[in-house]
């Protein structure tokens, strides 16, 4: 049971977690903090949170769980603002998509990461953002990755694990470095490709006609290009080394496909397509 959950960034991710915990009766009070009072008032109206504060230190006072669901670039300033106000038993966790960046931000703010800090990342979301997009079923059956540090207290990890499991998630653990490598390939690269494709087509001469005749495949592939541009800019910059590595690998494979098309090599194209279909059918069913 959580006595008081303090959320920084009660949008889709933080708001959905709050709704799930409130529905399960697992959290007595949810308080949020952000720079927009209108946003916070809307969160109260929607029943996502109980109360709010525009002052970070006030928001975390007496909280036993603090969730950082802000853009990566805001992690350090928020941590600096709440450091002196955190209760001794407070567990600090986050939902950032690039864990090395978050760990660096927390380290810069606190001098070293607190023993109660549990880096985390829910592998869930939609192309929509904001508190209006929050819904309690978001984490049902979805994975949440925790990347505890060497000195992270086991009881803090267990408390964060229990919170996500109550929300319906399947919780796994891995190292910070491995997380960033895996997410660069499975999440960050696909978003870059989707953004890049839509931008490229939008700058072509007959763009209105192109989008008018876009079929389901185009809509499915590019859905994530409707995601928050600021958030994804921060992610790409924060996890740049891992992203560049996987992009280089993908460019080599794309060159191979280009060469097969140029040479009219149907056998090679069929081999690639069959291999891809088998892989997706196996892992994404």
């Amino acid at each position: 049971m959580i006595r008081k959950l303090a959320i920084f960034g009660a949008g889709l991710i933080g708001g959905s977690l709050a709704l799930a915990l409130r529905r399960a009766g697992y959290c007595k009070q949810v308080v949020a903090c952000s720079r927009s009072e209108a946003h916070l008032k809307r969160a109260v109206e929607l029943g996502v949170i109980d109360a709010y504060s525009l002052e970070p230190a006030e928001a975390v006072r007496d909280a036993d769980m603090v969730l950082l669901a802000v853009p990566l670039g805001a992690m350090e300033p928020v941590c600096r603002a709440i450091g002196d106000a955190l209760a001794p038993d407070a567990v600090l966790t986050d939902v950032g998509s690039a864990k090395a960046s978050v760990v660096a931000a927390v380290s810069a703010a606190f001098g070293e990461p607190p023993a109660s800090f549990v880096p985390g990342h829910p592998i869930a979301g939609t192309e929509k953002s904001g508190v209006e997009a929050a819904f309690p079923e978001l984490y049902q059956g979805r994975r949440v990755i925790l990347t505890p540090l060497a000195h992270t207290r086991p009881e803090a990890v267990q408390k964060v694990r229990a919170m996500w499991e109550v929300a319906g998630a399947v919780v796994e653990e891995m190292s910070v470095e491995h997380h960033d490598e895996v997410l660069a390939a499975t999440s960050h690269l696909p978003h870059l490709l989707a953004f890049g494709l839509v931008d490229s087509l939008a700058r072509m001469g007959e763009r209105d006609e192109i989008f008018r005749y876009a079929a389901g495949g185009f809509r499915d592939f590019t859905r994530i290009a409707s995601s928050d541009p600021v958030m994804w800019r921060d992610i790409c910059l924060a996890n740049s080394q891992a992203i560049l590595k996987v992009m280089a690998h993908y460019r080599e494979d794309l060159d191979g496909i280009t060469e097969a098309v140029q040479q009219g090599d149907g056998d090679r194209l069929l081999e690639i397509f069959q291999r891809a279909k088998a892989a997706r059918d196996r892992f994404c069913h």
Side-chain angles (χ1 to χ4, degrees), residues 6-19:
I7 298 177
F8 289 84
L12 170 67
I13 300 301
S16 294
L17 177 61
L19 287 172

Side-chain angles (χ1 to χ4, degrees), residues 20-171:
L21 297 178
R22 287 163 67 84
R23 186 171 66 175
Y26 192 74
C27 187
K28 292 183 178 179
Q29 183 185 27
V30 181
V31 176
C33 180
S34 80
R35 292 177 295 180
S36 170
E37 187 167 14
H39 172 85
L40 294 168
K41 286 183 176 179
R42 183 60 175 152
V44 173
E45 292 172 359
L46 293 171
V48 175
I49 62 175
D50 297 299
Y52 68 84
S53 175
L54 296 175
E55 297 296 329
E58 178 63 28
V60 302
R61 187 162 287 117
D62 299 324
D64 56 330
M65 179 70 72
V66 177
L67 179 74
L68 303 177
V70 297
L72 294 174
M75 291 287 182
E76 183 179 340
V78 170
C79 286
R80 290 188 182 277
I82 67 176
D84 294 337
L86 282 176
D89 66 338
V91 174
L92 178 66
T93 189
D94 76 292
V95 298
S97 183
K99 302 320 311 173
S101 170
V102 176
V103 172
V106 173
S107 299
F110 288 92
E112 65 177 359
S116 60
F117 173 51
V118 184
H121 179 212
I123 312 301
T126 71
E127 71 277 14
K128 298 179 181 179
S129 60
V131 69
E132 289 86 358
F135 62 102
E137 299 85 9
L138 177 62
Y139 302 109
Q140 286 293 328
R142 306 301 290 272
R143 283 181 169 77
V144 171
I145 300 175
L146 304 183
T147 61
L149 308 177
H151 66 287
T152 302
R153 295 201 318 264
E155 56 268 30
V157 177
Q158 181 54 41
K159 189 165 185 177
V160 175
R161 172 183 287 273
M163 176 182 72
W164 285 112
E165 289 178 343
V166 166
V170 177
V171 182

